[in-house]
Protein backbone atom coordinates (compact mmCIF):
# COMPACT_ATOMS: atom_id res chain seq x y z
CA UNK A 1 0.00 0.00 0.00
CA UNK A 2 2.90 2.39 0.56
CA UNK A 3 3.69 2.19 -3.16
CA UNK A 4 0.03 2.76 -4.04
CA UNK A 5 -0.10 5.92 -1.92
CA UNK A 6 2.99 7.30 -3.64
CA UNK A 7 1.84 6.41 -7.16
CA UNK A 8 -1.73 7.71 -6.74
CA UNK A 9 -0.83 10.60 -4.42
CA UNK A 10 -3.85 9.59 -2.30
CA UNK A 11 -4.47 7.70 0.93
CA UNK A 12 -7.57 6.06 -0.59
CA UNK A 13 -7.58 5.02 -4.22
CA UNK A 14 -10.36 6.46 -6.35
CA UNK A 15 -12.13 5.14 -9.45
CA UNK A 16 -9.52 4.86 -12.20
CA UNK A 17 -6.62 4.43 -9.76
CA UNK A 18 -4.59 1.25 -9.50
CA UNK A 19 -3.17 -0.58 -6.52
CA UNK A 20 0.56 -1.12 -6.99
CA UNK A 21 3.04 -3.84 -6.08
CA UNK A 22 6.30 -3.17 -4.28
CA UNK A 23 7.83 -3.09 -7.78
CA UNK A 24 5.35 -0.34 -8.72
CA UNK A 25 3.43 -2.53 -11.14
CA UNK A 26 -0.35 -2.04 -11.34
CA UNK A 27 -2.01 -5.03 -9.67
CA UNK A 28 -5.69 -4.04 -9.42
CA UNK A 29 -7.56 -1.09 -10.89
CA UNK A 30 -10.67 0.43 -9.28
CA UNK A 31 -13.42 0.44 -11.94
CA UNK A 32 -16.41 1.32 -9.76
CA UNK A 33 -17.02 2.30 -6.14
CA UNK A 34 -20.53 3.03 -4.91
CA UNK A 35 -19.34 3.91 -1.40
CA UNK A 36 -18.09 7.37 -0.35
CA UNK A 37 -14.63 6.08 -1.31
CA UNK A 38 -13.11 5.85 2.17
CA UNK A 39 -10.75 2.86 2.21
CA UNK A 40 -7.70 2.55 4.44
CA UNK A 41 -4.23 1.88 3.02
CA UNK A 42 -2.23 2.76 6.15
CA UNK A 43 -3.15 0.33 8.94
CA UNK A 44 -1.56 -3.07 9.36
CA UNK A 45 -3.74 -6.15 9.43
CA UNK A 46 -5.02 -6.98 12.89
CA UNK A 47 -3.24 -9.81 14.67
CA UNK A 48 -3.20 -11.64 18.01
CA UNK A 49 -0.89 -8.97 19.45
CA UNK A 50 -3.33 -6.16 18.65
CA UNK A 51 -6.16 -8.03 20.32
CA UNK A 52 -3.99 -8.77 23.37
CA UNK A 53 -3.20 -5.05 23.64
CA UNK A 54 -6.92 -4.27 23.39
CA UNK A 55 -7.61 -6.66 26.30
CA UNK A 56 -8.74 -9.82 24.55
CA UNK A 57 -8.20 -12.99 26.51
CA UNK A 58 -7.62 -16.22 24.65
CA UNK A 59 -7.45 -16.49 20.89
CA UNK A 60 -9.26 -13.87 18.80
CA UNK A 61 -9.82 -14.35 15.06
CA UNK A 62 -7.76 -11.86 13.04
CA UNK A 63 -6.93 -10.88 9.47
CA UNK A 64 -3.24 -11.81 9.72
CA UNK A 65 -4.04 -15.40 10.61
CA UNK A 66 -6.79 -15.48 7.96
CA UNK A 67 -4.28 -14.43 5.28
CA UNK A 68 -1.61 -16.89 6.43
CA UNK A 69 -4.13 -19.76 6.46
CA UNK A 70 -5.53 -18.87 3.02
CA UNK A 71 -2.06 -18.70 1.49
CA UNK A 72 -1.01 -21.93 3.20
CA UNK A 73 -4.08 -23.57 1.59
CA UNK A 74 -2.59 -22.46 -1.77
CA UNK A 75 0.78 -23.98 -0.86
CA UNK A 76 2.39 -20.59 -0.24
CA UNK A 77 4.32 -19.76 2.92
CA UNK A 78 4.47 -16.08 3.83
CA UNK A 79 7.61 -14.65 5.40
CA UNK A 80 5.80 -11.39 6.17
CA UNK A 81 2.30 -9.95 5.95
CA UNK A 82 1.90 -6.99 3.59
CA UNK A 83 -0.11 -3.92 4.50
CA UNK A 84 -3.68 -4.68 3.41
CA UNK A 85 -6.18 -2.72 1.36
CA UNK A 86 -8.79 -2.22 4.08
CA UNK A 87 -12.01 -1.79 2.13
CA UNK A 88 -14.42 0.62 3.82
CA UNK A 89 -12.18 1.12 6.88
CA UNK A 90 -12.24 4.75 8.00
CA UNK A 91 -8.81 5.46 9.46
CA UNK A 92 -8.97 9.22 9.89
CA UNK A 93 -6.25 11.67 10.83
CA UNK A 94 -7.28 13.94 13.72
CA UNK A 95 -6.31 17.65 13.82
CA UNK A 96 -3.50 16.80 16.26
CA UNK A 97 -2.15 14.33 13.61
CA UNK A 98 -3.11 11.19 15.56
CA UNK A 99 -4.57 8.45 13.46
CA UNK A 100 -7.91 7.25 14.76
CA UNK A 101 -10.21 4.50 13.65
CA UNK A 102 -13.63 6.03 13.08
CA UNK A 103 -16.84 4.19 12.25
CA UNK A 104 -17.22 3.38 8.55
CA UNK A 105 -19.10 5.75 6.26
CA UNK A 106 -20.02 3.01 3.78
CA UNK A 107 -23.56 1.67 3.68
CA UNK A 108 -25.00 -1.83 3.35
CA UNK A 109 -25.00 -2.75 -0.32
CA UNK A 110 -22.01 -0.57 -1.28
CA UNK A 111 -19.68 -2.28 -3.70
CA UNK A 112 -16.31 -1.86 -5.30
CA UNK A 113 -15.31 -3.36 -8.65
CA UNK A 114 -11.63 -4.13 -9.20
CA UNK A 115 -9.95 -5.36 -12.39
CA UNK A 116 -6.89 -7.59 -12.06
CA UNK A 117 -3.98 -6.27 -14.10
CA UNK A 118 -1.93 -9.47 -13.75
CA UNK A 119 -2.35 -13.00 -12.45
CA UNK A 120 -2.73 -12.89 -8.69
CA UNK A 121 -4.24 -14.44 -5.62
CA UNK A 122 -6.68 -12.21 -3.74
CA UNK A 123 -7.48 -13.00 -0.12
CA UNK A 124 -10.63 -11.45 1.31
CA UNK A 125 -10.99 -11.39 5.09
CA UNK A 126 -14.25 -10.15 6.60
CA UNK A 127 -12.91 -8.02 9.44
CA UNK A 128 -13.41 -9.74 12.82
CA UNK A 129 -12.68 -6.52 14.76
CA UNK A 130 -15.15 -6.15 17.63
CA UNK A 131 -12.99 -4.21 20.10
CA UNK A 132 -12.54 -0.94 18.13
CA UNK A 133 -15.01 1.11 16.02
CA UNK A 134 -13.69 -0.34 12.75
CA UNK A 135 -17.01 -1.95 11.87
CA UNK A 136 -19.24 0.69 13.47
CA UNK A 137 -21.18 0.67 16.73
CA UNK A 138 -24.01 -1.49 15.43
CA UNK A 139 -21.96 -3.97 13.43
CA UNK A 140 -23.72 -7.21 12.74
CA UNK A 141 -22.42 -10.12 10.72
CA UNK A 142 -23.02 -9.46 7.04
CA UNK A 143 -22.69 -11.61 4.00
CA UNK A 144 -19.68 -10.68 1.91
CA UNK A 145 -20.02 -11.41 -1.77
CA UNK A 146 -17.39 -11.42 -4.48
CA UNK A 147 -17.35 -12.51 -8.07
CA UNK A 148 -14.64 -13.24 -10.59
CA UNK A 149 -15.70 -12.12 -14.05
Amino acid sequence: MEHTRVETERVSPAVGDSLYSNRRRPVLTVLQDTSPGIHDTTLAACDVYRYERLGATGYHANCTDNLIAAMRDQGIRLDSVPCPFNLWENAAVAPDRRQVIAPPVSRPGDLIVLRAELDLIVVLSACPQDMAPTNGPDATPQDVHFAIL
Side-chain angles (χ1 to χ4, degrees), residues 6 11 24 32 36 57 68 77 82 91 98 105 113 117 119 148:
V6 169
V11 294
R24 300 186 192 259
Q32 181 182 4
T57 57
I68 290 169
R77 182 181 159 275
R98 288 179 309 111
V105 295
V113 176
E117 301 298 346
D119 291 340
I148 299 172

Side-chain angles (χ1 to χ4, degrees), residues 26-71:
V27 176
L28 293 165
T29 299
V30 180
L31 299 181
Q32 181 182 4
D33 187 355
T34 64
S35 78
I38 305 297
H39 308 289
D40 174 66
T41 63
T42 63
L43 297 176
C46 61
D47 52 33
V48 294
Y49 310 109
R50 169 122 170 95
Y51 286 107
E52 286 174 3
R53 191 173 63 75
L54 291 172
T57 57
Y59 180 77
H60 193 292
N62 62 82
C63 290
T64 293
D65 289 350
N66 290 347
L67 173 64
I68 290 169
M71 296 303 283

Side-chain angles (χ1 to χ4, degrees), residues 81-102:
V81 174
C83 186
F85 180 38
N86 296 308
L87 291 172
W88 301 293
E89 185 163 2
N90 186 7
V93 177
D96 66 0
R97 308 291 297 152
R98 288 179 309 111
Q99 190 168 32
V100 296
I101 299 172

